[in-house]
Amino acid sequence: MAIEKMVMMNLVGALEDEDKILEQIILMGNVHLQTDISELYESHFALHVLEESLSEMGENGEETARGPNDENYSEILSRIEYISNALNIKPKVDRIFLEKSFEYGFYKSSIDSIFQEVSPIYEEIQQRKDLIKKYQTFRENIKYILDKNIDFSQLETLHFFRYKIGMMSHENKMEIAKNYENITAIAKLIGTGEDSEVFLIIYPQKFEMETERILKSVNFEEVKIPEELKGTPKEMNEQMEEILRQEQIKLNELSQKIQEMKEIYKDFICQAITRVKMTQKVNRLKENIERGTSVFILSGWVPESQKEEITKQISTVSNKFMTVFKDINEIGKSIMPPTKLKNHKWFQPFENLVKMYGTPSYNELDPTVFLSITYLIMFGAMFGDVGQGLIFIIAGWILSQKQKESYFGPIAMRLGMSSTLFGFFFGSLFGNEEWIPHIVRSIFGSESVIARLIIHPMENMNLILISAVAFGVILILFGFGYSMINCLKEGNIKDGLFGRNGLAGLIFYIALLLIVYEIALGSVIIPKGILIVSIVITMALMVIREPLANKIQHKLPLYHEEVSSYYVESGFDIIETILSLASNTISFIRVGAFALNHVGLFLAFKTMAEMAHGGIAGIIIMIIGNIIIIGLEGLIVFIQGLRLQYYELFGKYFKGEGIEFKPIQFMD
């Protein structure tokens, strides 16, 4: 439940070691680049002083400044991609290939040489594959007319007529038959396939355009006869078989050459793409670097716990650099550090649910742990079933194994555990509420504490609904606490002390709750008069919060708008506050409602199973019911839980306007 402390790292290094130092920073993967650097250098950096310091360390002081490498790597990358595709190599970007130095000229000439060697063979392979595919397609199209004694070579000699052969669906064949007298062509059925008919179309040359228009309207798919094939369909098929046999032999020979090249060049291709991508990344990084006559300057945020390790790692590639680390208090509030969440492994998957709403600001409390615990309780209460919870655990585990980078699997496992736990409290196993209570009573006895802990939701509706609202009240109170802490950390006493989500709002909410409690149950905790006075005072504080806060902090002017407009707006804000608090509290009744709905759906399927007189049909109905409930209701409950977190709680205390910590990394 923490945000890792950051420090600003200002690094000054010799230009001659620039590439080596930047490459090392990329490989370390723990520096978040600060791109807005002008203010940093003006306020906190004396470039000439640092240059002098480096000169004392052995820098010769000569002008060695140089801009980013302007070499265009797009061509070499496209050729590497072409070669990889041709040789069926999946280029692996690996740090091990960075051990050798990078010389652009050597890599470019080598890649060009390999390209010249590979491309003719690869292009010929593609041409032969296309040719084989063309013949195979034609062979497939004429397989229904192999027994027809039609010499297509003779049809080529016609002077005043043209012909086409092609495929037509059974439905379109009927359209042709209905309008045959209007067609300026002879359409002869010469073959029948599974889904289509093969037609020979003969038409006068002068009606060619009209015939093509008619054929297009009935989705006629013409079959082109390769020019080199002559004679009847049977003779053409024999010619094709010989051509395909020869082409396959040549294709196998070329493929063997490609395989030999792959074994020779695969390691170099992986090394080349690794080196080129690293150089590209270094050049992009250089765009955010300031340079002097002999040094470069880079600024970025790093975790405070890693600053010594960072300096140590950079020293392995250069001894001509300096690092200066500054705490945020030394920099000022104008520059906000990025946020790196630091939570226990159990809560880390839920960080992604927080980030879906927004990234916590550096000075804001991380709500991940609070969300994790409360969201698990909500989901379990709304979807409590031992069997279905175990299904979620298994599905989450499988997903975690298949997609290790996904957070859905770990979250599903944790939700399944909560569902299973609440399933024991509800005594539900795949919708059956008799097995678990019977087993518990048999082992521990009917009057045991464990047996009494089992609550059937449908038999305790009021308890379930009241507990849901009470749970919501507790969460809202925690939300007020989070809001006050966040505001006071920012020095915002206007909202922290006098705002609707601050101390005044908290007292106002508690007073309203106690009045409702007294009206509903007739029990007095605090005299109503005191509560009413508290409500009036807190309402007044919320109305005058801006001028009051400005007066306390000695800020002028007290109002930042017209006084009348301010008080009109503040008056409506009080009404909105009352409505908001009421709706927020009542919204949590849906936790209990979904718990009852979960049981109700099972009862519906159970009733249908009983109407089917049990047996196999009843079992199938219950299985289908469980599948529907797991898939459909599970998704709805997942969304409803998030809705309660985002709208009823986050809206009170969490802004999520931070910048996520995204270090420069090689493998991104």
Side-chain angles (χ1 to χ4, degrees), residues 388-404:
Q388 293 181 347
L390 293 174
I391 295 295
F392 266 90
I393 293 172
I394 294 170
W397 182 82
I398 293 173
L399 184 60
S400 299
Q401 298 303 308
K402 289 187 175 181
Q403 301 180 10
K404 295 188 180 298

Side-chain angles (χ1 to χ4, degrees), residues 195-258:
D195 302 316
S196 58
E197 313 276 3
V198 184
F199 278 85
L200 171 63
I201 309 295
I202 301 178
Y203 55 90
Q205 183 176 346
K206 64 179 181 178
F207 295 126
E208 183 171 8
M209 291 184 63
E210 183 177 346
T211 302
E212 287 186 352
R213 187 169 58 251
I214 293 171
L215 294 177
K216 185 178 180 180
S217 69
V218 292
N219 297 317
F220 180 80
E221 298 179 16
E222 184 178 1
V223 176
K224 296 285 187 181
I225 300 177
E227 295 181 359
E228 57 271 22
L229 300 181
K230 306 294 182 183
T232 65
K234 184 177 180 181
E235 292 170 341
M236 289 181 182
N237 191 59
E238 291 173 353
Q239 296 167 31
M240 277 191 297
E241 291 296 336
E242 179 60 24
I243 292 173
L244 288 171
R245 190 180 68 83
Q246 294 295 332
E247 289 297 325
Q248 192 61 51
I249 291 172
K250 294 176 182 176
L251 185 61
N252 291 340
E253 292 174 354
L254 294 170
S255 298
Q256 181 61 34
K257 289 183 180 179
I258 287 291

Side-chain angles (χ1 to χ4, degrees), residues 412-461:
M413 290 176 65
R414 288 155 175 77
L415 294 178
M417 293 176 189
S418 178
S419 180
T420 302
L421 179 61
F422 274 89
F424 280 113
F425 285 122
F426 294 158
S428 178
L429 177 64
F430 288 117
N432 187 293
E433 294 186 336
E434 299 171 359
W435 295 340
I436 291 178
H438 177 72
I439 293 171
V440 170
R441 286 194 296 268
S442 299
I443 297 174
F444 300 100
S446 301
E447 300 301 321
S448 64
V449 175
I450 296 178
R452 291 179 180 179
L453 285 175
I454 297 176
I455 299 173
H456 297 299
M458 297 301 287
E459 297 175 6
N460 299 273
M461 290 187 183

Side-chain angles (χ1 to χ4, degrees), residues 261-499:
M261 291 180 182
K262 176 180 179 179
E263 295 300 319
I264 296 172
Y265 298 126
K266 63 180 180 180
D267 288 341
F268 180 78
I269 292 299
C270 291
Q271 179 181 328
I273 196 168
T274 300
R275 288 297 336 179
V276 171
K277 283 186 176 294
M278 171 56 83
T279 305
Q280 270 194 321
K281 194 169 283 287
V282 167
N283 287 340
R284 293 191 188 118
L285 185 54
K286 288 179 179 179
E287 296 174 2
N288 297 287
I289 289 176
E290 291 289 329
R291 290 176 175 78
T293 56
S294 59
V295 299
F296 71 93
I297 305 174
L298 176 144
S299 287
W301 294 97
V302 300
E304 185 182 42
S305 59
Q306 298 179 20
K307 62 182 184 181
E308 293 181 3
E309 179 63 23
I310 288 172
T311 303
K312 180 180 177 182
Q313 289 293 326
I314 297 175
S315 66
T316 62
V317 296
S318 173
N319 60 359
K320 298 178 180 179
F321 75 97
M322 291 179 61
T323 53
V324 178
F325 296 96
K326 292 184 176 290
D327 188 83
I328 184 173
N329 297 323
E330 300 178 68
I331 295 174
K333 296 182 178 180
S334 59
I335 298 176
M336 182 59 65
T339 301
K340 183 180 181 182
L341 301 181
K342 184 181 180 182
N343 289 292
H344 187 274
K345 184 178 180 181
W346 173 264
F347 301 112
Q348 284 176 1
F350 293 96
E351 292 177 356
N352 297 279
L353 298 184
V354 173
K355 291 175 183 177
M356 285 171 61
Y357 187 93
T359 301
S361 299
Y362 184 74
N363 291 322
E364 194 172 13
L365 287 177
D366 174 20
T368 301
V369 174
F370 182 62
L371 175 139
S372 305
I373 295 171
T374 55
Y375 185 59
L376 286 172
I377 294 173
M378 288 181 193
F379 186 90
M382 291 189 283
F383 200 78
D385 187 276
V386 174
Q388 293 181 347
L390 293 174
I391 295 295
F392 266 90
I393 293 172
I394 294 170
W397 182 82
I398 293 173
L399 184 60
S400 299
Q401 298 303 308
K402 289 187 175 181
Q403 301 180 10
K404 295 188 180 298
E405 299 300 320
S406 174
Y407 59 87
F408 287 110
I411 288 178
M413 290 176 65
R414 288 155 175 77
L415 294 178
M417 293 176 189
S418 178
S419 180
T420 302
L421 179 61
F422 274 89
F424 280 113
F425 285 122
F426 294 158
S428 178
L429 177 64
F430 288 117
N432 187 293
E433 294 186 336
E434 299 171 359
W435 295 340
I436 291 178
H438 177 72
I439 293 171
V440 170
R441 286 194 296 268
S442 299
I443 297 174
F444 300 100
S446 301
E447 300 301 321
S448 64
V449 175
I450 296 178
R452 291 179 180 179
L453 285 175
I454 297 176
I455 299 173
H456 297 299
M458 297 301 287
E459 297 175 6
N460 299 273
M461 290 187 183
N462 290 338
L463 176 62
I464 294 295
L465 295 176
I466 292 172
S467 297
V469 175
F471 177 65
V473 169
I474 294 171
L475 297 192
I476 291 173
L477 292 175
F478 270 101
F480 276 108
Y482 267 90
S483 177
M484 286 187 287
I485 294 172
N486 283 331
C487 289
L488 295 177
K489 285 181 70 175
E490 296 175 0
N492 180 5
I493 66 169
K494 180 185 79 170
D495 293 323
L497 295 181
F498 311 123

Side-chain angles (χ1 to χ4, degrees), residues 41-231:
Y41 295 151
E42 290 174 5
S43 305
H44 308 288
F45 237 83
L47 180 59
H48 63 281
V49 173
L50 291 164
E51 285 186 312
E52 291 174 4
S53 299
L54 280 175
S55 298
E56 294 175 3
M57 294 166 59
E59 181 66 44
N60 56 26
E62 296 178 1
E63 185 171 328
T64 56
R66 49 194 169 90
N69 192 336
D70 293 327
E71 291 286 0
N72 185 353
Y73 295 100
S74 59
E75 180 181 354
I76 188 172
L77 280 174
S78 65
R79 290 205 163 185
I80 290 174
E81 183 179 351
Y82 179 92
I83 295 168
S84 301
N85 187 49
L87 301 182
N88 194 25
I89 296 173
K90 294 181 180 179
K92 182 176 68 172
V93 178
D94 198 321
R95 293 188 180 193
I96 195 172
F97 297 120
L98 297 172
E99 295 176 357
K100 296 184 179 179
S101 60
F102 178 72
E103 296 179 11
Y104 178 79
F106 166 73
Y107 276 95
K108 187 177 187 307
S109 62
S110 299
I111 292 298
D112 288 344
S113 176
I114 296 171
F115 178 82
Q116 296 299 329
E117 183 181 358
V118 170
S119 60
I121 299 175
Y122 180 65
E123 293 299 325
E124 186 177 352
I125 286 175
Q126 294 305 113
Q127 291 171 6
R128 294 193 180 278
K129 282 184 176 180
D130 292 341
L131 186 60
I132 290 172
K133 184 177 180 180
K134 181 181 79 171
Y135 282 121
Q136 288 174 337
T137 302
F138 181 68
R139 183 175 61 183
E140 182 67 22
N141 288 332
I142 68 168
K143 68 181 180 181
Y144 302 115
I145 60 171
L146 291 177
D147 58 337
K148 304 299 179 183
N149 191 24
I150 303 173
D151 190 342
F152 290 99
S153 301
Q154 294 297 321
L155 292 176
E156 293 286 349
T157 62
L158 296 174
H159 294 291
F160 301 105
F161 289 86
R162 295 283 185 270
Y163 80 95
K164 294 178 184 292
I165 62 169
M167 317 290 286
M168 195 183 305
S169 68
H170 300 310
E171 293 78 8
N172 288 324
K173 167 194 169 183
M174 300 306 297
E175 291 295 322
I176 289 285
K178 288 184 206 176
N179 300 282
Y180 195 74
E181 67 277 3
N182 300 320
I183 298 176
T184 56
I186 297 172
K188 180 173 178 57
L189 177 65
I190 58 175
T192 302
E194 296 176 0
D195 302 316
S196 58
E197 313 276 3
V198 184
F199 278 85
L200 171 63
I201 309 295
I202 301 178
Y203 55 90
Q205 183 176 346
K206 64 179 181 178
F207 295 126
E208 183 171 8
M209 291 184 63
E210 183 177 346
T211 302
E212 287 186 352
R213 187 169 58 251
I214 293 171
L215 294 177
K216 185 178 180 180
S217 69
V218 292
N219 297 317
F220 180 80
E221 298 179 16
E222 184 178 1
V223 176
K224 296 285 187 181
I225 300 177
E227 295 181 359
E228 57 271 22
L229 300 181
K230 306 294 182 183

Side-chain angles (χ1 to χ4, degrees), residues 566-618:
Y566 170 79
Y567 283 108
V568 169
E569 184 179 338
S570 296
F572 280 107
D573 192 49
I574 293 296
I575 298 174
E576 183 185 353
T577 298
I578 296 172
L579 295 175
S580 175
L581 290 173
S583 65
N584 291 160
T585 305
I586 295 172
S587 285
F588 282 91
I589 202 170
R590 71 186 65 208
V591 175
F594 272 100
L596 298 173
N597 178 67
H598 190 65
V599 178
L601 279 175
F602 277 123
L603 289 176
F605 284 106
K606 185 178 180 180
T607 302
M608 287 190 287
E610 290 174 352
M611 291 173 63
H613 305 292
I616 296 176

